Amino acid sequence: MYYDIVIVGAGPAGLTAAIYARRASKSVLVLEAKAWGGQIINTPDIENYPVVAHISGADFANDLYKQATALGAEVKLEKVIGLEDLGKSKKVRSNLAEYEAGAVILATGSENRKLGVDREQELTGRGVSYCATCDGNFFRKRDVAVVGGGNTALEDALYLSELANKVYLIHRRDSFRGEEATVARLREKENVEFVYNANVTALLGDKRLSGIEVTDKLSGARRSIEVKGLFVAVGRIPENEGFRELIELDASGYAVAGENCRTRVPGVFVAGDNRTKEVRQLVTAAADGAVAATEAVKFLNA
Ligand code: NAP
């Protein structure tokens, strides 16, 4: 089956690309391995998207999906397992089918980085979580910890402070990578304790998490903290591995492309969090989608 543009990934970048490509009258297939919406569906409250002062990530994703499909983009839940450059066209192989495309936009985003501490996998779903909005409710009136210093950790801690009895925010440095405005709001919360310069070095508990061991990086002192939940928010890993043979990846695995979203392969574009860039935000993912689709349309019409 031939499509003008096959988009891999139905997050904000991929679905925005679909909107732009459909508005340019191109046939569009979006292939998504998990659930459409991307990582933004886990954000409780988006406050930094222009014009929309507040919207949940799930509502944002729903509205975007509706907009793209209403314009005629097809979205299929299939995992892309291969991409081949045939010259004039590209072959996209999924777990279920094969497609030919005039151009391909890789908008695969990223997945959760693991903390890398013993028993992390065993206790995932038993107290260890990577998604505060999905699992926070299980920890109502309990003590929990969040580890990380980026916007995800800060927003998770803020969200959990409304549900949990107490939130420990554990960061390996003494200043945060995330927005100062969110840090300021956290400082006002009486049930949030900041634990700086600290690493989570052990997960405690038998069948379920009952606490964590935290080691102070400066003094080496260890401390046990009783928590029922540990929310890991230590960043993300770009999902580009399947395309390593074709496009150039940097040392961290991001697809190398400039602001025009073009990769080294003519007709293959990259958009959103899996691209090399300085700022990874919802608004920049959407912007990439618009640019990649516009460039893909130019490529097809050349
Ligand atoms: P991030 O910005 O990469 O931050 C990851 C944090 O985890 C950093 O503070 C890092 O510490 C820490 N970390 C990394 N590996 C660690 C380890 N092994 N042990 C302990 N700590 C570790 O990731 P993110 O917070 O998931 O955000 C990803 C992107 O999405 C960012 O660009 C962010 O701004 C964006 N985002 C935006 C919104 C929004 O627009 N509302 C919401 C969420 C996320 P160091 O600081 O020491 O490196």
Side-chain angles (χ1 to χ4, degrees):
M1 180 90 182
Y2 177 89
Y3 290 85
D4 294 325
I5 302 179
V6 168
I7 298 168
V8 186
L15 290 174
T16 303
I19 291 170
Y20 273 72
R22 281 302 300 145
R23 284 171 55 82
S25 302
K26 299 301 178 195
S27 58
V28 173
L29 172 66
V30 185
L31 295 170
E32 167 59 52
K34 296 168 192 153
W36 44 266
Q39 63 157 310
I40 199 65
I41 59 172
N42 298 324
T43 298
D45 188 18
I46 300 163
E47 294 183 339
N48 57 4
Y49 200 79
V51 174
V52 189
H54 286 277
I55 187 168
S56 75
D59 286 347
F60 182 93
N62 273 332
D63 290 352
L64 187 54
Y65 175 84
K66 277 192 232 154
Q67 192 178 352
T69 50
L71 284 166
E74 258 184 77
V75 181
K76 292 184 180 176
L77 287 181
E78 291 177 26
K79 184 175 169 55
V80 170
I81 52 174
L83 173 61
E84 215 182 307
D85 184 17
L86 305 176
K88 209 159 168 47
S89 69
K90 321 288 161 209
K91 192 198 279 181
V92 182
R93 247 178 328 115
S94 82
N95 57 328
L96 297 179
E98 256 183 32
Y99 304 95
E100 208 180 319
V104 171
I105 298 173
L106 301 173
T108 44
S110 55
E111 63 180 346
N112 296 315
R113 177 180 289 126
K114 304 287 182 285
L115 192 53
V117 66
D118 270 0
R119 303 182 63 218
E120 183 173 358
Q121 190 167 349
E122 175 199 334
L123 291 170
T124 296
R126 297 183 168 88
V128 175
S129 169
Y130 299 84
C131 177
T133 38
C134 319
D135 300 331
N137 207 32
F138 297 126
F139 300 93
R140 265 182 196 279
K141 308 232 182 319
R142 309 283 187 153
D143 291 357
V144 298
V146 175
V147 57
N151 279 322
T152 303
L154 298 179
E155 290 181 13
D156 284 359
L158 201 56
Y159 175 73
L160 290 165
S161 70
E162 298 295 324
L163 297 173
N165 178 56
K166 172 150 190 173
V167 180
Y168 295 89
L169 177 54
I170 298 160
H171 182 34
R172 64 183 179 182
R173 293 186 294 122
D174 61 0
S175 65
F176 288 100
R177 187 178 287 277
E179 282 178 24
E180 184 48 43
T182 318
V183 178
R185 284 170 70 189
L186 281 166
R187 285 194 211 288
E188 285 168 11
K189 299 278 179 184
E190 281 180 1
N191 64 342
V192 175
E193 181 178 327
F194 293 80
V195 184
Y196 293 113
N197 296 314
N199 282 319
V200 175
T201 41
L203 304 178
L204 312 174
D206 184 13
K207 294 216 165 69
R208 290 194 62 82
L209 186 81
S210 62
I212 53 178
E213 179 195 78
V214 168
T215 302
D216 187 290
K217 277 175 68 183
L218 307 178
S219 68
R222 291 178 190 189
R223 164 186 178 192
S224 288
I225 303 177
E226 274 186 35
V227 285
K228 294 279 187 254
L230 174 67
F231 289 86
V232 179
V234 295
R236 316 214 23 116
I237 297 172
E239 298 212 55
N240 288 325
E241 278 311 309
F243 315 114
R244 185 176 278 283
E245 301 290 298
L246 194 61
I247 59 172
E248 186 188 350
L249 305 186
D250 74 2
S252 305
Y254 290 97
V256 176
E259 287 302 315
N260 61 12
C261 297
R262 288 176 181 243
T263 69
R264 69 179 173 194
V265 181
V268 177
F269 303 84
V270 62
D273 280 5
N274 55 323
R275 178 172 81 82
T276 45
K277 58 158 98 178
E278 289 297 320
V279 181
R280 293 194 177 83
Q281 293 280 302
L282 185 54
V283 70
T284 61
D288 265 16
V291 173
T294 305
E295 290 290 325
V297 170
K298 256 198 251 170
F299 173 82
L300 291 170
N301 290 345

